Amino acid sequence: MSVTSAKGFRASGVAAGLKASGNPDLALVVNDGPLHAAAGVFTSNRVKAAPVQWSEQVLKGGTVAAVVLNSGGANACTGPAGFQDTHKTAEEAAALLDVSAAEIAVCSTGLIGVRLPMDALLGGLKTGTAALTADGGLDAATAIMTTDTVSKTAEAHGSGYTVGGMAKGAGMLAPGLATMLVVVTTDAAVEAEALDTALRAATRVTFDRVDSDGCMSTNDTVLLLASGASEVVPDPAEFQLVVTAVCADLARQLIGDAEGATKDIAVEVVNAASEDEAVQVARAVTRSNLFKCAMYGNDPNWGRVLSAVGTTDARFEPDRLSVAINGVWVCRDGGVGDDRDLVDLTGREVTVTVDLAAGGSAATVWTNDLTPGYVHENSAYSS
Amino acid sequence: MSVTSAKGFRASGVAAGLKASGNPDLALVVNDGPLHAAAGVFTSNRVKAAPVQWSEQVLKGGTVAAVVLNSGGANACTGPAGFQDTHKTAEEAAALLDVSAAEIAVCSTGLIGVRLPMDALLGGLKTGTAALTADGGLDAATAIMTTDTVSKTAEAHGSGYTVGGMAKGAGMLAPGLATMLVVVTTDAAVEAEALDTALRAATRVTFDRVDSDGCMSTNDTVLLLASGASEVVPDPAEFQLVVTAVCADLARQLIGDAEGATKDIAVEVVNAASEDEAVQVARAVTRSNLFKCAMYGNDPNWGRVLSAVGTTDARFEPDRLSVAINGVWVCRDGGVGDDRDLVDLTGREVTVTVDLAAGGSAATVWTNDLTPGYVHENSAYSS
């Protein structure tokens, strides 16, 4: 289960020497067709890394022959020289694969504000091209890891076709679109426009609804490539469900591997006046450091949930708000509810339910607890 | 230097038995006049504690004879019964002081979602009233402490009059208005409307510009009381400056005592297209957990500053952004600037300067680093 699960794709992951550790740091995903349709969503951060600026242009054409991904450097805030590095990467990959550079997407992840060692990267491209295989998906998923502790892959099946994918991301996880580096592939025969529709529908309810630390990256990219190798033209509704299943699986893995986390927390908002308001309220809770610290301490501190809800402009009456933690309604109608000692927070998975009593809409946003481990990891990352 | 620095005020601080520790937990500030003018600003959180709901009504009258403040319980999310507790507190204080309950402001701080032990509180009111003295300001400042490690008081002088104040607050410090419990007093002869103008102008550039952890409280209250005992009618501009000086001093003390912090960080945004945009950008940086972790690790990670700036809609061109950390321009024109090894982050005070190159406005927002100490303190607070 990976980017090579679907027919028509090859992949590789090699150590190009970008990481001081010597671990794999360069991945290639090649679409052997017959179709080369592609769609992408990118960070909405206005400070965009060079590879994002490049790939956004490539995706406008709706055609991607290959994706080059590197860890060991984000190539963000590197100025015109950094953009030239991305351009050169695409040109070199295009030459090696005998395609047009305008069909090469590039993704980078790692430290911001550092130029990539281009000699090492271009050398790695040659090695990586030679290593391409139809079962190289796991190697590719491994090569894009940064602070990830495990590689992340997924697979799901439609009627006669396959969708597979890989993701990296453990910190700086907050959406606005996308949230990390993700490549999803399919052997279904789907044109670029329909891919785009399916991908946006899928990311809206998956990657856009994980928020580990409220920090939006400069490099977030989610790509969906179709080879058409199954020769199956899928039902659009089913295709969207299958793509969503793969994205949901990967998104859940990102939360499960978030930096320093000891809890995976689903903040579920129900009875909202609209889905947008449900998301707004859920996001306010997921971004409350005090709430996240309480979760780390196994403390069902519902007051911190309510104080976060109160910062939003969603429709609700404060004295009709109710909150359940792992199924125990510790707050009812804006006041004290059931005994908080009934709440069992010893497991890794936590569900916080906020009832706005304002309508019929709902949404869930996933987050993590805030831990000393998160602080340690992110205070030492670049040193 | 305290709420009793100005003539015409008495204060006290006693142990009413609200805190399990037995520490002082009930403060009284009484305005002996001849004037009883007052103004207040309150949290903009829509989930407002009972004492905030009460005091907002009191302040509409522009007259405050006394303020009752308690630590050991926020009386927030306690429903109609909690509001009755606040009402009863005001009535009891009014009876003891022989004034109207409609002239008694009430402030509470501590855990959300727990009823106050009213017998203890009402008993403490009697003790507190008996303990009122013209030099009781420090006792009062001590009695409102929660996780504060030091009491916080300030004083400044105008032409013939004094302004003094006290504050509590160490976590859940983020504005929207006010940010904590603050009482400022003056013996200048100023009517309620002019007090309101001066207070709003002062809080806008002081308490509204500290953001320790991005979490907005349900109880934030800042009160300004005038006794007129100096018989001096101040120049309005000078008066505003003096009130601002006291508020700035107290705000700075709040940041200096923030939970678990090892750094006090001034995020200064310059050359913004407007002051609002400067504040928006500064606030985005102060709310980046990744930036705050880097500061804890003495890591001049300017990429995390830029990625936070990029989440705003302030006017700027990404390739014209520059960032200095403690005076070293580590990022110039959106790319790598001076050597980051030149940045000395060993001291407690840090200044981060963001140059938007978009206009002539500027603003500074204060924050702290994010530390394991913050996580520990806030994961164990209620247990």
Side-chain angles (χ1 to χ4, degrees):
Chain A
M1 37 180 264
S2 71
V3 288
T4 47
S5 294
K7 286 176 283 186
F9 292 92
R10 287 176 297 150
S12 65
V14 298
L18 311 175
K19 284 180 180 166
S21 64
N23 286 336
D25 47 22
L26 189 77
L28 277 167
V29 180
V30 175
N31 182 351
D32 288 322
L35 201 62
H36 295 97
V41 287
F42 299 91
T43 184
S44 55
N45 200 312
R46 290 171 60 200
V47 176
K48 291 181 203 299
V52 170
Q53 295 175 38
W54 171 266
S55 297
E56 279 186 330
Q57 292 305 315
V58 169
L59 267 297
K60 282 184 183 161
T63 302
V64 168
V67 188
V68 180
L69 308 96
N70 75 273
S71 52
N75 196 10
C77 307
T78 44
F83 188 80
Q84 279 305 111
D85 290 344
T86 293
H87 189 179
K88 179 81 183 156
T89 301
E91 287 195 325
E92 190 75 11
L96 287 164
L97 296 165
D98 197 21
V99 298
S100 158
E103 297 176 0
I104 304 285
V106 181
C107 304
S108 300
T109 178
L111 260 185
I112 298 173
V114 182
R115 291 277 302 279
L116 291 168
M118 285 303 291
D119 285 351
L121 197 154
L122 298 179
L125 269 184
K126 288 196 184 101
T127 325
T129 305
L132 284 165
T133 66
D135 59 1
L138 190 58
D139 289 344
T142 303
I144 59 175
M145 292 166 60
T146 54
T147 57
D148 306 68
T149 65
V150 291
S151 62
K152 300 165 182 82
T153 60
E155 177 179 336
H157 297 273
S159 307
Y161 61 94
T162 296
V163 177
M166 67 177 183
K168 73 78 49 184
M172 213 181 237
L173 290 184
L177 265 195
T179 51
M180 58 287 306
L181 301 190
V182 177
V183 179
V184 177
T185 58
T186 181
D187 47 21
V190 185
E191 296 297 337
E193 197 175 332
L195 286 179
D196 190 71
T197 301
L199 183 61
R200 287 182 191 279
T203 55
R204 193 179 75 82
V205 295
T206 56
F207 299 120
D208 270 359
R209 296 202 182 159
V210 297
D211 191 335
S212 170
D213 59 4
C215 292
M216 187 194 292
S217 161
T218 51
N219 287 55
D220 300 333
T221 301
V222 182
L223 301 177
L224 173 58
L225 314 183
S227 71
S230 72
E231 297 181 359
V232 173
V233 178
D235 170 71
E238 187 201 68
F239 183 66
Q240 184 175 310
L241 284 176
V242 178
V243 171
T244 301
V246 168
C247 290
D249 188 345
L250 293 172
R252 189 69 188 73
Q253 292 181 55
L254 292 170
I255 283 292
D257 193 28
E259 289 169 352
T262 70
K263 305 274 188 213
D264 301 345
I265 306 164
V267 178
E268 173 183 84
V269 176
V270 300
N271 298 322
S274 72
E275 186 181 352
D276 280 354
E277 293 182 16
V279 171
Q280 184 197 1
V281 168
R283 205 175 294 293
V285 176
T286 62
R287 292 197 176 170
S288 164
N289 279 352
L290 287 174
F291 162 72
K292 288 151 67 90
C293 286
M295 289 295 101
Y296 169 66
N298 293 343
D299 172 8
N301 194 322
W302 57 269
R304 293 177 178 175
V305 176
L306 246 62
S307 66
V309 174
T311 64
T312 72
D313 56 13
R315 281 164 281 181
F316 64 81
E317 295 300 322
D319 60 4
R320 293 192 65 201
L321 294 172
S322 298
V323 176
I325 302 180
N326 278 349
V328 180
W329 289 93
V330 285
C331 167
R332 289 181 191 274
D333 294 331
V336 183
D338 297 345
D339 185 357
R340 44 168 279 155
D341 291 343
L342 298 173
V343 180
D344 179 3
L345 283 169
T346 51
R348 183 172 176 109
E349 301 219 352
V350 177
T351 299
V352 175
T353 310
V354 178
D355 186 339
L356 295 181
S361 296
T364 298
V365 176
W366 286 85
T367 189
N368 299 103
D369 54 343
L370 178 57
T371 72
Y374 176 87
V375 176
H376 282 301
E377 187 152 353
N378 285 299
S379 58
Y381 179 50
S382 76
S383 49
Chain B
M1 36 180 264
S2 71
V3 287
T4 47
S5 294
K7 285 177 285 188
F9 292 92
R10 287 175 299 150
S12 64
V14 299
L18 310 177
K19 284 180 180 167
S21 65
N23 286 338
D25 47 24
L26 189 78
L28 277 166
V29 179
V30 175
N31 182 351
D32 289 322
L35 200 62
H36 295 99
V41 287
F42 299 91
T43 184
S44 55
N45 200 311
R46 290 170 59 200
V47 176
K48 292 182 202 298
V52 169
Q53 295 175 38
W54 171 266
S55 297
E56 279 186 331
Q57 292 305 316
V58 169
L59 267 295
K60 281 184 182 161
T63 302
V64 168
V67 188
V68 180
L69 309 96
N70 75 273
S71 51
N75 196 10
C77 307
T78 46
F83 189 81
Q84 279 305 110
D85 290 343
T86 293
H87 189 180
K88 180 81 184 156
T89 301
E91 287 194 324
E92 190 75 13
L96 288 164
L97 296 166
D98 196 21
V99 298
S100 158
E103 297 176 359
I104 303 285
V106 180
C107 303
S108 300
T109 178
L111 260 186
I112 297 173
V114 182
R115 292 278 301 279
L116 290 168
M118 285 304 292
D119 286 351
L121 197 154
L122 297 178
L125 269 183
K126 288 195 183 103
T127 326
T129 305
L132 284 165
T133 65
D135 57 2
L138 190 57
D139 289 344
T142 302
I144 58 175
M145 291 165 61
T146 54
T147 56
D148 306 70
T149 65
V150 292
S151 62
K152 299 165 183 79
T153 61
E155 177 179 337
H157 298 273
S159 307
Y161 61 95
T162 295
V163 177
M166 67 179 183
K168 74 77 50 184
M172 216 180 236
L173 292 182
L177 265 194
T179 50
M180 58 287 308
L181 301 190
V182 178
V183 180
V184 177
T185 58
T186 181
D187 48 22
V190 185
E191 297 298 337
E193 196 175 332
L195 286 179
D196 189 69
T197 302
L199 183 61
R200 288 182 191 279
T203 54
R204 193 179 74 83
V205 295
T206 57
F207 298 119
D208 270 359
R209 297 204 182 156
V210 296
D211 191 336
S212 169
D213 59 5
C215 292
M216 188 194 292
S217 162
T218 51
N219 288 56
D220 300 333
T221 303
V222 182
L223 301 176
L224 173 58
L225 314 182
S227 70
S230 72
E231 297 180 1
V232 173
V233 178
D235 171 69
E238 187 202 67
F239 182 66
Q240 184 174 311
L241 284 177
V242 178
V243 171
T244 301
V246 168
C247 290
D249 188 343
L250 292 172
R252 189 67 188 74
Q253 291 181 55
L254 292 170
I255 282 292
D257 193 28
E259 290 169 351
T262 70
K263 305 274 187 211
D264 301 345
I265 306 164
V267 178
E268 172 184 86
V269 176
V270 300
N271 297 322
S274 72
E275 186 181 352
D276 281 354
E277 293 182 17
V279 171
Q280 184 196 2
V281 168
R283 204 174 295 290
V285 176
T286 63
R287 291 194 177 174
S288 163
N289 279 352
L290 287 173
F291 162 71
K292 288 152 68 90
C293 287
M295 289 294 102
Y296 169 66
N298 293 343
D299 171 7
N301 194 322
W302 58 267
R304 293 176 178 175
V305 177
L306 246 61
S307 66
V309 174
T311 64
T312 72
D313 57 12
R315 280 164 280 182
F316 65 79
E317 294 300 322
D319 60 3
R320 292 192 65 200
L321 295 172
S322 297
V323 175
I325 302 179
N326 278 349
V328 180
W329 289 92
V330 284
C331 169
R332 290 180 191 274
D333 295 330
V336 183
D338 297 347
D339 185 357
R340 42 168 281 156
D341 291 343
L342 297 173
V343 180
D344 179 4
L345 283 170
T346 52
R348 184 172 175 108
E349 301 219 352
V350 177
T351 300
V352 175
T353 310
V354 178
D355 186 338
L356 296 181
S361 296
T364 298
V365 176
W366 286 85
T367 190
N368 299 104
D369 53 346
L370 178 57
T371 71
Y374 176 88
V375 176
H376 283 301
E377 187 151 352
N378 285 299
S379 57
Y381 178 51
S382 75
S383 50

